[in-house]
Amino acid sequence: PDTVRLLSSSQVITSVVNVLKELLENSLDAGASSIDVKLDNYGLDRIEVRDNGLGIKAADTPVMAVRHFTSKICSHDDLERLQTYGFRGEALGSVCAVAEVSVTTKTAEDDISIQYVLNFMGQIVSQKPSHLGQGTTVSVLKLFKNLPVRRQYYSTNKKCKEELKKVQDLLVAYAIIKPELRLTLVHNKVVVWQKAKVADLRSALHATLGPSAVANLLPCHYHQEQPEIFLDGYFPKPEADVSSTSSSHPDKTFIFVNNRPVHHKDIMKLLRQHYTAQYSEDQAQNRYPTLVLKVTVPPSSIDVNLTPDKTQVLLQNKEAVLTAVEALLVSLYGYQCD
Ligand code: ADP
Ligand code: MG
């Protein structure tokens, strides 16, 4: 059973950035407005996420890391109107199988915070009072200590640096989609990135991408009924020099579906196609425009269960969404590009 648990957990928990994504989403689901992320040795020695959210009720702590426990879904109907990032109750339990985990938490009703140390099975093995304020701190030590091959993956400096870049890209995505969120990243005790609470999407872009990137962007909206699709975003201004603001990695093309940062191959392809004509020939191969696209559809029309890390979503009305994105591009630039 230990081997089975280890194997299935290692499918849910695949990397440092993937652990971090699960912990961040739990903090956001708990209504946090401030999140501090600390990594030691690129997250291999320690990943810690501290939030000021609702905390975990004492009654829930014994089961919080039990596989398939979730406080978020009670029925199939809930799944159809899902507003939270998490719903499978799989993450925390899975992390316990591949690292040393402790959770310190305090709700508004609790007098003091309690630190719980969890074992391989996600059960509490010890607990003691702690001094933290309201919210939850999850600490993940020695990730993949029992999966030498997975750990080996990070044996080169290059891989570690790439992982840290992915972590930062992920934080930037959440910083954009949650302007009111205060977010910091500390690596080996050094603040490597931070973003203050701001009022709106534009200010969030300012804080994350910088003033010169924002100067080239234009807010845009598109609404379609039946099927209902809302598009909101910031796209390159018609007069902007797209080739100079584009990037050779998709790390500045932000696509969100119902507030989840996602990789959507078809939407990305459509967007890139549209701007290709504006890149010089030797650039066209691997250029990605700097832009933000938020797609909002009824929760019942997307399936985020496609991959364990929920970065890929299945859109029920994919064609309709693509057509809407095209219509948005046409309305912005006034011509059809294909
Ligand atoms: P899910 O997010 O799918 O519900 P998880 O395994 O990620 O499952 O978390 C299990 C449960 O632990 C959550 O449903 C929630 O009740 C609790 N929990 C985990 N992290 C936090 C947090 N940062 N703040 C409040 N509750 C949390
Ligand atoms: Mg979760």
Side-chain angles (χ1 to χ4, degrees), residues 68-89:
H68 304 299
F69 167 80
T70 174
S71 56
K72 297 161 194 172
I73 293 279
C74 299
S75 67
H76 182 74
D77 281 358
D78 288 349
L79 198 56
E80 301 220 316
R81 8 166 225 271
L82 196 66
Q83 301 292 344
T84 54
Y85 287 110
F87 54 88
R88 278 198 293 254

Side-chain angles (χ1 to χ4, degrees), residues 191-260:
V191 179
V192 291
W193 180 87
Q194 58 186 323
K195 185 227 153 224
K197 167 188 158 110
V198 294
D200 50 28
L201 179 56
R202 187 179 183 85
S203 314
L205 292 177
H206 218 272
T208 51
L209 303 179
S212 58
V214 181
N216 279 313
L217 298 176
L218 192 70
C220 51
H221 309 278
Y222 183 86
H223 174 215
Q224 173 189 298
E225 285 166 39
Q226 284 180 349
E228 182 132 77
I229 300 167
F230 291 91
L231 302 179
D232 297 280
Y234 272 83
F235 279 50
K237 284 180 179 165
E239 68 276 17
D241 175 7
V242 179
S243 66
S244 74
T245 59
S246 65
S247 147
S248 58
H249 294 281
D251 61 349
K252 300 257 169 4
T253 313
F254 297 94
I255 303 174
F256 301 92
V257 173
N258 290 8
N259 289 334
R260 289 174 190 278

Side-chain angles (χ1 to χ4, degrees), residues 26 30 51 55-56 64 70-72 86-92 136:
N26 282 345
D51 71 50
I56 305 173
M64 63 190 168
T70 174
S71 56
K72 297 161 194 172
F87 54 88
R88 278 198 293 254
E90 218 162 28
L92 208 51
T136 303

Side-chain angles (χ1 to χ4, degrees), residues 95-161:
V95 181
C96 288
V98 297
E100 292 174 8
V101 179
S102 66
V103 177
T104 307
T105 195
K106 177 182 179 306
T107 66
E109 284 77 48
D110 301 331
D111 295 329
I112 52 157
S113 64
I114 307 277
Q115 182 189 39
Y116 301 91
V117 177
L118 304 172
N119 67 9
F120 177 80
M121 299 300 289
Q123 297 151 335
I124 296 171
V125 288
S126 68
Q127 63 184 73
K128 62 171 194 223
S130 159
H131 62 280
L132 299 182
Q134 187 189 323
T136 303
T137 300
V138 179
S139 174
V140 176
L141 305 181
K142 302 184 191 163
L143 183 65
F144 301 139
K145 56 172 184 166
N146 47 359
L147 291 168
V149 177
R150 197 67 65 86
R151 199 150 169 123
Q152 180 75 26
Y153 174 85
Y154 297 103
S155 60
T156 67
N157 219 328
K158 183 162 173 274
K159 282 277 183 268
C160 287
K161 292 240 159 73

